[in-house]
Amino acid sequence: MENPSSFVDILHQAEQLTAQMEAEPSVELPRVQRNLAQIISAGERLWNKSGKTTSSEPANVKAAILLGSKGVDIPRLSKNLENITAVKSLEPIEPVRETDVQGFLKNERENALLSAIEETKKHTFAEVEELHWENLRREWEREKEKILNTLAGGDDDLLFPAAGSMTALMDITVKSRSAMNAAEMAYSRQIYMYNEAIISGGVKPDIVSLFIEASKTMDNKNVEDLWKMIRHLSRVSGPPASMSVSAYRASKEFQTAFIANGKRYLEESYLEYVKSVVQSNLERSMVGGVPGTLQLIKGFLNIILPPNVAGLEDGRLDGQPVWAVIYYCLRCGDLQAAGAAVESARACLDQFYDFFQEYRRSKQCRLSLETENKLRLLYRRSLVTSTDPFKKAVYCVVGRCSAVDDHHEIADKIDDFLWLKLSLVECDPAVDTPETLGLAAFQTQLSEEFGEGHFKAAEQPFLYSQVLLLTAQLENTIEFLSRNDRLRPHAVHLALAFHELGLLVQTESVQAPLLQSDPTRPSLKRLNFARLIMMYTSKFELTDPREALQYFFHLRGLKTPQDTNLFEMLLGKMNSDGTRMPGAIDKYQVNTSKLIALVARNSEEKGLFEEAVLLHDLAHSHERVLQLLNSLIIQVLAQPSRPQSNRERVQTLAVALGKRYRSSGYCAGSTVAAAFYLLLDLMNFFDLYHSGSAEHALELLDQLHLIPLAHDQIEDRISRFSNYSDEIRRCLPEILLATMDILHSEYKKTKSVAPTQTSPLKDSFSQHLRQQAKALIAFAGTIPYRMPGDTIARLVQMEVMMN
């Protein structure tokens, strides 16, 4: 190949060509004016295009050879592919020239289709998003209910569940085995005895004593101790009629009495503990002298207190530190023994002797305000720095000197800590100062600042329950115990005990959470008593409905929802002669008719229509009974009757009520009653139809005068049709199809007879069947009722097959 010419030669040749083109005007070529960069760019584009085409040609050839060998018409396929528009997004088609009519119409059609598709897509996405958020909201509501039910489980409301879209016919299986454990059965027996005494009008038994008897059968010392403590705490009077429970619980009278009972329980328990320690260590205790608490404490100190303890002040009493003897006498609740110790050590106690005499003589073991101030001043000046923990504790108990000091040297157990703090609690708001410890502040400190973690409540639930109960946090205790399935029976019966004593503060709404703060007194909680009872009985209300009813009796002041289908046993039943057999609810002396009507409405709202029929019948709401039965019958009217099916169950119920209403009478409108009895006859018609009794089915249908079986009956049946209720009209398509099927089957049987057996009678019967079929077609096309689209088509098809 020759060497390429220089750029100068190339430029010279280009100028000559340009001059020749300008000299010859006949040559018309396009003028191109580009710089060097543009020429390079255009050349690269041409080269790339040429390269791609070249690279794809072998593939196209191979594809054509392969498709041709398989018998594919390649030219036709190419033409079809050219007509396909690969559009990635639905965009409007560009407008065409107005003169192109065919293109314009095609464009408009495609734009209309694209617009419809786009609108449908937007609507679908919007609807899906709306359904998504609605479903999310419902799930959140269910989760909130689970939280409010406090670990009770289940996805349905415990109280008054909202009506859902449920099927009309429901099969409910009832368990027969009891779901109650031994503790629950023991409690339920006491509840039964308590309720029986109230219903019979006798003396109201002590419910706490009944529960104590139940606890003795459980072989659980913690439960026995719990009810022993409740025995002490419950020795307070209920609120007066003019005062609410919450106001009474916040009053000085209640708090003073309740705290005193709590202290008394701790003192008696500690005295029992001291006796057990001394009895088990008689040699070390060296108890002697006059029997009594003072000698017992001296022996107890011989066991627990090491000799020569440093820091103890003011001498000894019979070899024991004097302040330790006084403290433990007070700890055991024996003021007489403490007074004897103070009297014996009078010379060593200085002013305390006079303080203690006033403390001992007061009714509530309380110094006067003036004496308390003196004692507190003495404590701040002299005793804050004292090294004797027993002396400091005695001064604090007698004079309520310091609410800050926790006396950890001697109050190393929860019981000792509570006893000291309860001795310092101030229940009178008039003397509540920063130096004193108010009950509300102490409650908040224990339940919120310390909380369950501090007391290891999960490991020691009874200990934490004791802390809450002794500080008058009744509702908190019940809520805490109810979280544990094993402890829930005790929580429920604690609530029942305080409820019957008039001390339980309840929520205003049965839909409230299980535990709720009082809006006016944050430290006081409100318990949803109804929710607690429903949560507890939900475990066994189906297997032990009578026991559940005993608990529902304690909700007699509230609207109690029912969630069981054992209505006959609880609410009674109707006998065949129209009289009502009383149920378990009747002995509770309530308005049974009103209660039954309420339960019937609730069952109807929840979709339990068969149960609602029986309940409305109990309430003598015959009109509603027939309305519900009509609705149930038309759902299963055309179905074949099978054993234990929905249709058989509805038919049995409807026939029984229909017979009783005919014999005993009923209070319902003539229209709904006529529709009910006509539907019963139609059920018999379909029973005959499904059993193959064609002749009897047609005979019964002719007696009902519902549809024509001859041309002369058409006018009469059309005039009657306007008087039928909607329930009957809705059944008409199935009746017409069943009747036409009977006629067609009979016609085929007639035609299937051997030719040797033909006779004029056979031809006459076939003609009669055809006339009946034509009458049905004429009736179906004339009546003023819009039937389903396929009904007329199926009728005509069978009628044509008969011709």
Side-chain angles (χ1 to χ4, degrees):
M1 186 176 180
E2 298 180 355
N3 293 330
S5 302
S6 64
F7 283 106
V8 177
D9 295 337
I10 294 173
L11 177 61
H12 182 66
Q13 292 175 7
E15 290 176 351
Q16 286 180 349
L17 290 173
T18 303
Q20 291 175 5
M21 291 173 59
E22 291 177 352
E24 298 178 7
S26 59
V27 181
E28 294 183 1
L29 293 175
R31 306 285 294 183
V32 178
Q33 294 180 357
R34 296 184 180 180
N35 56 27
L36 185 59
Q38 292 174 340
I39 293 172
I40 293 174
S41 177
E44 289 179 351
R45 287 198 300 272
L46 290 173
W47 170 255
N48 292 333
K49 182 178 180 182
S50 175
K52 290 181 180 178
T53 305
T54 304
S55 64
S56 62
E57 283 179 357
N60 292 338
V61 172
K62 292 179 181 179
I65 293 173
L66 176 62
L67 295 175
S69 64
K70 299 298 182 180
V72 178
D73 188 356
I74 297 175
R76 184 179 178 183
L77 179 62
S78 300
K79 184 178 180 181
N80 292 336
L81 291 174
E82 289 176 357
N83 295 329
I84 297 177
T85 303
V87 181
K88 294 184 179 180
S89 59
L90 299 177
E91 299 176 354
I93 307 299
E94 293 296 330
V96 297
R97 296 193 304 271
E98 296 180 358
T99 57
D100 188 0
V101 177
Q102 185 177 359
F104 175 76
L105 294 176
K106 180 181 178 181
N107 195 3
E108 288 296 316
R109 177 177 177 275
E110 292 181 356
N111 278 332
L113 290 175
L114 292 176
S115 300
I117 294 172
E118 187 67 22
E119 287 297 325
T120 304
K121 185 180 75 171
K122 291 181 180 178
H123 177 72
T124 303
F125 275 105
E127 188 175 1
V128 168
E129 185 177 7
E130 183 180 356
L131 290 174
H132 165 72
W133 286 112
E134 179 66 19
N135 186 55
L136 196 64
R137 186 187 64 80
R138 290 178 181 176
E139 288 183 1
W140 175 234
E141 290 296 331
R142 288 195 293 267
E143 290 299 324
K144 286 200 298 185
E145 281 299 323
K146 291 180 182 178
I147 296 172
L148 295 180
N149 292 340
T150 319
L151 306 179
D155 57 348
D156 29 284
D157 282 344
L158 290 172
L159 300 172
F160 307 118
S165 56
M166 304 174 67
T167 56
L169 304 171
M170 301 181 65
D171 298 320
I172 297 186
T173 304
V174 180
K175 301 176 183 178
S176 58
R177 187 177 178 181
S178 175
M180 302 179 73
N181 57 36
E184 292 166 345
M185 290 297 294
Y187 279 129
S188 67
R189 284 191 291 269
Q190 305 303 321
I191 288 290
Y192 172 78
M193 295 171 56
Y194 182 79
N195 291 347
E196 285 294 316
I198 293 177
I199 294 168
S200 62
V203 178
K204 187 176 181 179
D206 183 3
I207 192 170
V208 176
S209 298
L210 293 176
F211 291 156
I212 290 175
E213 292 298 320
S215 69
K216 293 178 180 178
T217 66
M218 299 178 191
D219 193 23
N220 190 329
K221 188 176 185 305
N222 288 326
V223 177
E224 292 186 48
D225 291 342
L226 176 68
W227 283 108
K228 183 180 178 182
M229 178 172 54
I230 299 300
R231 170 79 287 164
H232 283 79
L233 298 178
S234 62
R235 291 169 179 162
V236 293
S237 58
S242 59
M243 184 180 294
S244 66
V245 179
S246 60
Y248 176 68
R249 285 276 301 277
S251 65
K252 174 186 174 182
E253 291 75 17
F254 168 80
Q255 293 184 358
T256 302
F258 195 89
I259 295 301
N261 291 340
K263 277 187 61 181
R264 188 60 187 165
Y265 166 75
L266 291 173
E267 291 165 353
E268 291 183 3
S269 299
Y270 198 77
L271 181 59
E272 293 295 326
Y273 166 72
V274 170
K275 289 180 180 179
S276 65
V277 171
V278 171
Q279 288 295 328
S280 59
N281 296 273
L282 290 176
E283 293 184 2
R284 293 178 58 193
S285 64
M286 297 182 293
V287 177
V290 180
T293 304
L294 183 59
Q295 296 300 323
L296 190 67
I297 293 300
K298 292 177 182 178
F300 178 70
L301 290 174
N302 286 332
I303 300 171
I304 67 166
L305 200 65
N308 304 319
V309 178
L312 301 184
E313 302 175 357
D314 298 332
R316 292 179 174 267
L317 180 64
D318 297 336
Q320 297 298 338
V322 59
W323 289 110
V325 173
I326 298 173
Y327 169 78
Y328 281 109
C329 287
L330 293 175
R331 180 66 182 86
C332 292
D334 194 334
L335 287 178
Q336 184 176 359
V342 169
E343 189 73 33
S344 301
R346 179 176 182 179
C348 306
L349 302 181
D350 198 14
Q351 303 180 52
F352 182 79
Y353 175 83
D354 297 328
F355 293 145
F356 187 80
Q357 295 305 317
E358 181 183 346
Y359 176 82
R360 181 182 174 184
R361 288 192 298 267
S362 63
K363 293 182 179 180
Q364 297 181 350
C365 295
R366 180 73 184 267
L367 298 175
S368 64
L369 185 59
E370 181 181 358
T371 307
E372 276 188 357
N373 291 333
K374 291 181 180 179
L375 197 58
R376 289 171 185 169
L377 182 61
L378 178 63
Y379 182 86
R380 287 195 297 269
R381 287 179 177 177
S382 307
L383 289 157
V384 171
T385 58
S386 174
T387 58
D388 191 336
F390 296 105
K391 182 177 182 179
K392 293 171 67 175
V394 170
Y395 267 81
C396 284
V397 169
V398 174
R400 306 190 182 207
C401 297
S402 175
V404 179
D405 197 345
D406 55 3
H407 307 280
H408 61 274
E409 300 93 341
I410 55 177
D412 55 346
K413 294 183 175 58
I414 293 295
D415 287 2
D416 299 325
F417 169 78
L418 285 174
W419 180 80
L420 278 170
K421 291 297 182 180
L422 291 178
S423 301
L424 302 175
V425 163
E426 181 58 67
C427 300
D428 189 357
V431 295
D432 191 6
T433 64
E435 297 179 353
T436 59
L437 178 64
L439 180 59
F442 188 42
Q443 291 173 340
T444 303
Q445 181 186 31
L446 293 175
S447 61
E448 297 181 13
E449 295 180 15
F450 290 170
E452 299 177 16
H454 177 82
F455 295 101
K456 298 181 180 179
E459 302 172 10
Q460 307 176 86
F462 287 100
L463 178 62
Y464 185 59
S465 300
Q466 175 183 330
V467 171
L468 295 177
L469 283 171
L470 291 173
T471 53
Q473 301 185 74
L474 312 182
E475 295 74 20
N476 299 57
T477 309
I478 296 167
E479 188 273 335
F480 166 70
L481 292 174
S482 68
R483 299 181 210 160
N484 189 311
D485 292 340
R486 182 175 54 87
L487 303 177
R488 188 172 298 138
H490 312 305
V492 171
H493 293 86
L494 281 177
L496 283 168
F498 288 124
H499 172 70
E500 292 301 314
L501 294 171
L503 301 177
L504 190 67
V505 182
Q506 302 183 38
T507 57
E508 296 179 357
S509 171
V510 294
Q511 297 291 357
L514 187 61
L515 192 68
Q516 192 178 54
S517 297
D518 189 279
T520 57
R521 305 173 183 88
S523 62
L524 185 64
K525 305 297 181 182
R526 291 180 175 270
L527 183 77
N528 192 333
F529 181 62
R531 182 180 291 274
L532 179 68
I533 294 297
M534 296 300 295
M535 181 171 66
Y536 177 64
T537 56
S538 63
K539 173 186 175 183
F540 56 83
E541 61 183 0
L542 293 179
T543 59
D544 305 89
R546 293 183 184 275
E547 282 72 18
L549 189 61
Q550 300 293 334
Y551 290 92
F552 294 154
F553 177 64
H554 293 270
L555 304 178
R556 56 192 180 273
L558 303 172
K559 295 180 180 180
T560 56
Q562 301 290 335
D563 195 18
T564 173
N565 68 329
L566 306 179
F567 296 118
E568 290 186 359
M569 182 174 61
L570 300 178
L571 303 177
K573 62 178 292 187
M574 297 298 294
N575 297 320
S576 57
D577 58 354
T579 60
R580 177 177 174 270
M581 179 185 295
I585 194 68
D586 288 87
K587 67 178 181 179
Y588 294 104
Q589 302 176 358
V590 296
N591 189 340
T592 54
S593 298
K594 185 177 179 180
L595 177 62
I596 293 171
L598 174 63
V599 178
R601 288 195 297 271
N602 288 341
S603 300
E604 188 177 339
E605 291 173 359
K606 293 160 63 176
L608 304 176
F609 294 120
E610 294 178 49
E611 287 78 5
V613 167
L614 296 173
L615 291 168
H616 281 299
D617 184 44
L618 281 174
H620 301 287
S621 302
H622 297 158
E623 178 90 13
R624 191 56 187 158
V625 169
L626 296 180
Q627 289 175 354
L628 290 175
L629 281 174
N630 290 346
S631 300
L632 292 174
I633 291 173
I634 62 176
Q635 297 181 49
V636 297
L637 179 64
Q639 299 176 5
S641 182
R642 297 186 177 88
Q644 299 181 352
S645 63
N646 291 336
R647 188 184 190 279
E648 183 188 49
R649 190 172 64 251
V650 171
Q651 187 174 18
T652 302
L653 175 61
V655 170
L657 289 176
K659 289 181 179 179
R660 176 154 58 80
Y661 285 176
R662 280 194 185 278
S663 60
S664 304
Y666 55 87
C667 299
S670 58
T671 302
V672 66
F676 169 68
Y677 285 107
L678 180 55
L679 287 172
L680 288 182
D681 292 331
L682 289 174
M683 293 189 85
N684 293 332
F685 163 74
F686 278 101
D687 287 339
L688 294 172
Y689 163 65
H690 289 297
S691 64
S693 302
E695 183 179 353
H696 294 91
L698 291 175
E699 182 181 353
L700 175 60
L701 196 62
D702 188 50
Q703 294 174 0
L704 296 179
H705 304 290
L706 181 61
I707 59 175
L709 295 176
H711 280 281
D712 57 354
Q713 298 177 354
I714 295 177
E715 294 296 332
D716 177 67
R717 302 298 187 264
I718 292 175
S719 62
R720 289 174 179 269
F721 180 78
S722 60
N723 298 325
Y724 291 129
S725 62
D726 290 337
E727 290 88 352
I728 304 300
R729 296 185 182 187
R730 290 169 57 186
C731 301
L732 190 62
E734 287 84 1
I735 298 171
L736 290 172
L737 289 172
T739 307
M740 184 65 80
D741 187 58
I742 292 174
L743 297 176
H744 181 249
S745 300
E746 290 297 307
Y747 182 81
K748 287 196 300 183
K749 289 180 182 178
T750 305
K751 288 298 182 181
S752 64
V753 178
T756 57
Q757 299 179 3
T758 58
S759 64
L761 183 60
K762 171 188 170 182
D763 295 337
S764 175
F765 184 66
S766 300
Q767 181 64 23
H768 176 66
L769 292 175
R770 288 195 295 269
Q771 292 298 324
Q772 288 181 323
K774 290 180 180 179
L776 289 181
I777 295 294
F779 175 75
T782 308
I783 56 174
Y785 180 73
R786 185 175 182 180
M787 285 185 285
D790 63 332
T791 301
I792 298 296
R794 292 170 61 186
L795 290 173
V796 172
Q797 182 182 11
M798 285 188 283
E799 194 268 336
V800 169
M801 292 171 64
M802 295 173 63
N803 291 319

